[in-house]
Amino acid sequence: MSEEGEMLPISVRAAAGAPYLASLNAGQRAAVEALDGPVLVLAGAGTGKTRVLTTRLAHLLTTGKAKPWSVLAVTFTNKAAREMRERVEKLLGPGGGGLPWLGTFHSISARMLRTHAELVGLKNNFTILDTDDQVRLLKQIIDAEGVDEKRWPGRQLAGVIDGWKNRALTPEKVPKNEGFSFADGGGAKLYAIYQARLKILNACDFGDLLMHMIDIFQRYPDVLENYHKKLSHLMVDEYQDTNVAQYLWLRLLAQARKNLCVVGDDDQSIYGWRGAEVDNILRFEHDFPGAEVVRLEQNYRSTGHILAAASHLIANNRGRLGKTLFTDDDLGHRVKVRGVWDGEAEARLIADDIEGWRQSNRSYADCAVLVRAAWQMRAFEERFLMLRIPYKVIGGPRFFERAEVRDVHAYLRLIRSEDDDLAFERIVNQPKRGIGEGTVQKLHAYAGKPLVRFVTDNGPLFDQDTGEVVTEQPEPPGGATRFRTLIGAAREMVVTDDLPLKARTALRAFLADLDRWREQARTISHVELAEIVLDESGYTEMLRRDKSPQAQTRLENLKELVQSMGQYDTLEAYLEHVALVLDIENETDSENVQLSTLHAAKGLEFPLVFLPGWEEEVFPSKRSIDESGEKGLEEERRLAYVGITRARESARISFVANRQIYGRWQVVLPSRFIDELPSANVDAVSETGYGMQPPGVRDMAVEPFTSSYQSPGWRRAQERGAFQGKPPMIEGEARLVARSGGDDSSYKRGDRIFHQKFGYGRVSDVEGNKLTVQFEKAGEKRVIDSFVIPASAA
DNA sequence: CTATAATATCTCATT
DNA sequence: GATATTATAG
């Protein structure tokens, strides 16, 4: 407490009896009632963080300390924003003008930027590029700069630039040595060109939304002051995930009044790879002197064993603020740890568990399978489909990133503004109209040059091909030499004979289409416009004629797209949302098993949680450790912590002995995180009796599972060389395995055999229990004999 | 210019 | 193993 004996303002006392306060515990209540000055709420997993946040917001409004339009409340995802809005309305009832400043960093910043766009050289109808556009643009720039795109791919540059923007570094501010992290020192220059190019395109990327506002706040104090007047209180959710740019953005907005409340959990910081700085939360008290710090440590979600296991695991991390979570709940079930043979067996095991759960009258929706990386989901999807278990992928392939959806958007963007070259390029020949790469090249050439070149020392603009001076005006700082849009170039070129006749007529027809649509757009709704465009462009026709299985879903996606457009009043409003609102409205989660990555599961909870794939190199992910070493490992551990703490009643971890990585089979070791679990809270079960690995392979000091690893089954498996590729006998596979009695193969050269994956084939060589087989479809393979059966038996 | 075959690249998580 | 780009033929 900073100011001892300070009297509570009268309005606060008046609201002290508010019904919503009664149900809070002491810590939560302290956080809710600390309305003024900087506040740091350290909220462990399941301690009622969202509740505190929403109640505090409600409290701000009830006490009259703040108005609905003077509270800036920031979240990271639109889902979180929506949820907060709903819960505040539940507490206070709807109305009151809503909460205009409740949203994600990006959506709020985008809104601000629309009103001040001209200050950074943009028009207020600027386009927000997504990653795809960004990469395409960068690729062009890389090519034009004569850098080898093979060696320095656009995707990578996008990542590098993103990293700089996360740290609020403009091209000039990129440290010299870091400019070398791309294209032998060309990185910063390419970044500068990219920024200039964005300006011409009247576009910005995600990072720019924040960067431009920071720039404006710093260069135009009056604008900032205006926001200081407008916004009385600031609140931030998931503060541990903020990056440097977001931090600066917040600090600028908060510096006048210092009414900033941040809520977060350093143990759940899992977004370091996209620039999150755990330091932001670790440093808060230093940055905002006199900050009140509230710890929320009572967990209302998980049972005792689960919480203890998670706490013990996370205690292996250094550099934490440190919290001691506790629960009043029972001990409940221990965390289950199970080892199986391979990914298929794992999927089978988990699917069976889920069926069992369902049979005891619990809901599918209570179950979640949380994986480290999206590719791990496939095995489960296959199994679930086979068993008709309904499931739902959380944050699956993003709807708005699908090719067909982006194509439609490109059409709409192009109709809206002619200068959207990226959109033009995307769809000139989609569907095919005979305007190929060659023609587009010519358009680019005619439009000036495909790319921007700086004209040094503010010289005149000139045509790069002819040297012809086009304007004597000195060029604007960061300006460019581009004079025509691609459409502009096209309009001029269709009347010349620089293009083959075929391309010319096709292009002319396309331009006429665009003009017509643009004309129609003035009178009809954007939904009708989309329908007309889809129809008249031949896009739907193209998909209808496409007989591939994806075409059907694409058509359905487009239907859904047109429908969703109806929810917005104008095309502008719609496109703005498309750019920023990446999560799709979940259809009723009624009776679906939830399949999700660990990242996407943050903030969610489920009675029964499965955590498969706990193997070295998979989890902790090899890449994280390669890239960030100890820091990366700690982040992985936090991810494990997040995973376990999603569970209310039961957490079931599993690992496999063999996994297919890059399509090749590899023997893998159990995750070191398994060794770090406290044996007192864990049940190590070996259902098959095989597949468990010995403990302490890496660290002989830690052997929590000695007993189960020494099971007869395990030892037998080891002796028989199971890990060289012989599968154990598992129910369902018994038929295939049964034939392999001893070590001498019962197959001989010339035998015709059947393999479950590779099909029929003929044995061409036998070596112990390894067969060389010429498969009819799959070609020559070496397989273990127990994986095949005689063709006559198949 | 388009359609098909072959090859390369890589695969983590997101606003 | 799958997708994305590139080479080749039509």
Side-chain angles (χ1 to χ4, degrees):
Chain A
M1 300 290 131
S2 47
E3 315 265 318
E4 257 340 286
E6 189 184 44
M7 288 288 289
L8 285 173
I10 289 167
S11 50
V12 174
R13 259 186 271 144
Y20 53 78
L21 291 177
S23 53
L24 301 176
N25 68 31
Q28 292 173 332
R29 192 164 171 153
V32 166
E33 293 188 328
L35 296 179
D36 295 302
V39 182
L40 168 63
V41 181
L42 289 171
T47 55
K49 182 194 63 165
T50 315
R51 182 149 185 227
V52 163
L53 218 45
T54 51
T55 313
R56 186 175 185 277
L57 181 44
H59 198 50
L60 271 171
L61 301 180
T62 343
T63 56
K65 281 251 165 198
K67 296 291 171 202
W69 54 88
S70 77
V71 182
L72 178 81
V74 222
T75 63
F76 274 85
T77 64
N78 296 287
K79 197 173 151 210
R82 202 183 317 129
E83 196 179 314
M84 201 191 293
R85 184 181 301 274
E86 279 165 12
R87 287 176 69 163
V88 171
E89 279 176 6
K90 218 179 203 167
L91 285 175
L92 298 181
L99 294 155
W101 296 108
L102 188 161
T104 64
F105 276 102
H106 291 86
S107 67
I108 290 174
S109 213
R111 236 185 65 210
M112 289 176 169
L113 189 55
R114 294 254 179 234
T115 49
H116 308 292
E118 79 288 350
L119 297 180
V120 288
L122 292 171
K123 293 187 259 176
N124 65 357
N125 66 344
F126 60 82
T127 316
I128 300 169
L129 298 188
D130 59 22
T131 324
D132 239 53
D133 289 325
Q134 209 182 338
V135 171
R136 237 145 24 95
L137 185 54
L138 285 169
K139 192 179 282 182
Q140 290 181 8
I141 293 174
I142 290 168
D143 275 343
E145 285 302 299
V147 177
D148 183 9
E149 215 266 334
K150 283 268 177 3
R151 222 155 79 76
W152 304 102
R155 187 153 264 323
Q156 193 188 330
L157 181 56
V160 172
I161 290 181
D162 221 48
W164 284 330
K165 289 189 175 175
N166 284 336
R167 288 154 59 201
L169 295 173
T170 56
E172 312 84 63
K173 284 201 227 136
V174 172
K176 279 277 171 314
N177 56 329
E178 280 192 50
F180 282 88
S181 59
F182 193 87
D184 306 318
K189 186 178 165 213
L190 291 169
Y191 177 19
I193 295 171
Y194 169 67
Q195 289 307 117
R197 185 90 170 89
L198 285 177
K199 210 167 275 185
I200 296 162
L201 288 169
N202 189 31
C204 61
D205 60 24
F206 282 119
D208 283 339
L209 295 174
L210 288 157
M211 289 276 282
H212 283 324
M213 279 320 294
I214 292 172
D215 184 30
I216 290 170
F217 289 155
Q218 287 172 339
R219 280 183 18 225
Y220 301 90
D222 51 315
V223 173
L224 181 58
E225 200 179 316
N226 200 18
Y227 282 107
H228 287 162
K229 281 194 194 121
K230 244 196 287 209
L231 304 170
S232 64
H233 290 78
L234 277 61
M235 289 170 81
V236 189
D237 190 15
E238 308 277 18
Y239 189 67
Q240 78 282 353
D241 288 336
T242 52
N243 60 35
V244 171
Q246 286 155 343
Y247 166 77
L248 287 175
W249 187 92
L250 278 172
R251 203 178 64 178
L252 284 162
L253 283 169
Q255 72 190 15
R257 304 215 198 184
K258 304 207 164 52
N259 292 329
L260 171 66
C261 170
V262 305
V263 181
D265 179 2
D266 50 320
D267 289 334
Q268 292 187 66
S269 163
I270 54 176
Y271 283 111
W273 50 272
R274 67 171 202 215
E277 288 283 341
V278 205
D279 271 5
N280 286 348
I281 196 166
L282 302 177
R283 261 199 349 231
F284 187 84
E285 293 177 75
H286 174 261
D287 289 339
F288 296 91
E292 184 164 341
V293 180
V294 181
R295 279 189 159 73
L296 302 182
E297 298 182 310
Q298 179 164 10
N299 176 294
Y300 294 98
R301 180 186 294 152
S302 312
T303 53
H305 278 309
I306 293 171
L307 197 61
S311 301
H312 194 272
L313 176 76
I314 197 65
N316 286 287
N317 271 4
R318 318 168 49 166
R320 313 166 52 219
L321 288 173
K323 288 178 301 297
T324 329
L325 295 190
F326 65 95
T327 175
D328 288 345
D329 207 345
D330 299 334
L331 275 177
H333 301 290
R334 290 164 191 261
V335 173
K336 263 192 195 172
V337 177
R338 297 177 290 186
V340 290
W341 178 252
D342 65 3
E344 229 174 285
E346 191 178 39
R348 206 158 44 222
L349 174 71
I350 288 177
D352 289 350
D353 270 16
I354 290 173
E355 281 301 3
W357 175 270
R358 182 77 181 89
Q359 260 146 43
S360 59
N361 262 331
R362 303 291 303 258
S363 164
Y364 282 131
D366 288 349
C367 314
V369 180
L370 309 182
V371 296
R372 173 64 243 263
W375 58 264
Q376 294 171 269
M377 289 186 193
R378 182 179 309 170
F380 296 99
E381 292 199 52
E382 275 172 18
R383 191 71 197 169
F384 291 163
L385 284 171
M386 190 188 293
L387 298 182
R388 304 266 143 79
I389 295 177
Y391 70 91
K392 165 119 195 126
V393 175
I394 303 176
R398 328 229 128 230
F399 182 73
F400 291 117
E401 282 172 17
R402 295 183 189 192
E404 64 276 17
V405 174
R406 293 175 41 74
D407 284 342
V408 175
H409 289 159
Y411 273 102
L412 296 173
R413 274 160 56 186
L414 200 53
I415 290 167
R416 187 182 56 159
S417 76
E418 287 235 335
D419 47 10
D420 201 329
D421 282 0
L422 291 168
F424 177 83
E425 269 186 276
R426 187 178 178 95
I427 44 96
V428 250
N429 209 25
Q430 188 74 349
K432 301 263 187 298
R433 0 178 119 79
I435 307 172
E437 223 175 308
T439 310
V440 175
Q441 284 301 319
K442 283 186 189 139
L443 287 177
H444 261 139
Y446 192 79
K449 256 297 157 192
L451 291 163
V452 178
R453 286 283 161 79
F454 288 103
V455 179
T456 44
D457 49 76
N458 287 356
L461 296 179
F462 60 88
D463 188 307
Q464 283 191 324
D465 283 337
T466 62
E468 183 193 357
V469 173
V470 179
T471 162
E472 292 294 346
Q473 284 167 10
E475 83 168 8
T481 58
R482 176 138 188 173
F483 325 118
R484 293 181 196 84
T485 63
L486 287 176
I487 289 196
R491 282 192 203 291
E492 291 177 43
M493 282 191 91
V494 288
V495 299
T496 70
D497 45 6
D498 293 340
L499 291 175
L501 185 65
K502 220 176 100 195
R504 209 183 329 158
T505 33
L507 198 52
R508 193 177 289 144
F510 180 54
L511 289 173
D513 282 343
L514 282 175
D515 287 338
R516 192 179 63 252
W517 293 327
R518 185 168 306 122
E519 191 53 44
Q520 285 172 310
R522 295 150 58 129
T523 52
I524 61 179
S525 79
H526 56 293
V527 178
E528 287 172 296
L529 178 67
E531 282 167 343
I532 288 175
V533 168
L534 274 170
D535 183 37
E536 295 184 357
S537 66
Y539 202 95
T540 357
E541 183 56 27
M542 170 185 74
L543 287 179
R544 253 199 287 275
R545 263 191 303 196
D546 186 343
K547 286 290 168 252
S548 73
Q550 301 131 11
Q552 189 55 36
T553 49
R554 294 212 164 132
L555 280 170
E556 280 162 23
N557 285 339
L558 290 180
K559 231 189 250 164
E560 201 179 319
L561 170 78
V562 172
Q563 216 167 16
S564 75
M565 287 178 69
Q567 296 167 14
Y568 300 92
D569 296 335
T570 66
L571 183 58
E572 259 66 35
Y574 171 74
L575 288 175
E576 175 87 6
H577 276 257
V578 163
L580 294 168
V581 181
L582 286 170
D583 46 36
I584 329 141
E585 205 54 60
N586 281 349
E587 324 125 36
T588 45
D589 288 346
S590 47
E591 257 295 281
N592 289 316
V593 173
Q594 308 292 302
L595 196 51
S596 167
T597 62
L598 286 162
H599 282 94
K602 187 160 78 153
L604 305 177
E605 57 176 49
F606 309 91
L608 176 58
V609 169
F610 295 93
L611 300 163
W614 282 43
E615 298 119 31
E616 282 296 298
E617 313 232 315
V618 175
F619 188 39
S621 130
K622 179 171 156 51
R623 188 166 154 186
S624 280
I625 294 177
D626 285 351
E627 278 173 10
S628 320
E630 191 65 22
K631 245 182 122 184
L633 176 62
E634 297 214 341
E635 181 155 316
E636 295 286 305
R637 194 175 280 118
R638 291 193 289 268
L639 207 43
Y641 173 77
V642 167
I644 298 174
T645 53
R646 297 310 95 196
R648 287 220 297 257
E649 298 171 32
S650 176
R652 303 186 187 176
I653 294 164
S654 53
F655 62 91
V656 303
N658 299 279
R659 191 172 287 284
Q660 223 171 0
I661 296 169
Y662 296 127
R664 290 223 73 82
W665 282 100
Q666 270 185 276
V667 176
V668 291
L669 295 172
S671 170
R672 67 191 79 187
F673 297 151
I674 289 178
D675 291 339
E676 292 173 4
L677 295 170
S679 47
N681 308 103
V682 166
D683 260 338
V685 190
S686 175
E687 300 209 332
T688 62
Y690 295 89
M692 300 292 274
Q693 289 278 348
V697 169
R698 298 161 304 282
D699 180 359
M700 297 308 284
V702 191
E703 302 189 352
F705 299 116
T706 308
S707 57
S708 49
Y709 292 117
Q710 286 173 349
S711 70
W714 154 248
R715 217 176 299 131
R716 222 174 321 129
Q718 208 177 24
E719 281 159 14
R720 282 167 49 184
F723 295 108
Q724 263 88 64
K726 188 183 247 175
M729 230 192 275
I730 301 174
E731 190 196 356
E733 277 173 5
R735 201 170 64 90
L736 290 174
V737 180
R739 280 203 51 93
S740 106
D743 283 343
D744 291 328
S745 178
S746 45
Y747 294 97
K748 59 182 191 305
R749 266 190 77 153
D751 282 355
R752 203 170 128 74
I753 53 88
F754 176 79
H755 184 284
Q756 211 179 19
K757 278 225 172 72
F758 304 139
Y760 290 99
R762 205 166 282 283
V763 178
S764 63
D765 195 24
V766 183
E767 186 189 324
N769 64 344
K770 292 187 275 297
L771 310 174
T772 306
V773 182
Q774 310 299 326
F775 286 104
E776 287 160 16
K777 293 244 168 62
E780 185 182 285
K781 303 259 182 215
R782 299 236 299 161
V783 296
I784 304 297
D785 64 354
S786 58
F787 278 88
V788 306
I789 55 172
S792 53

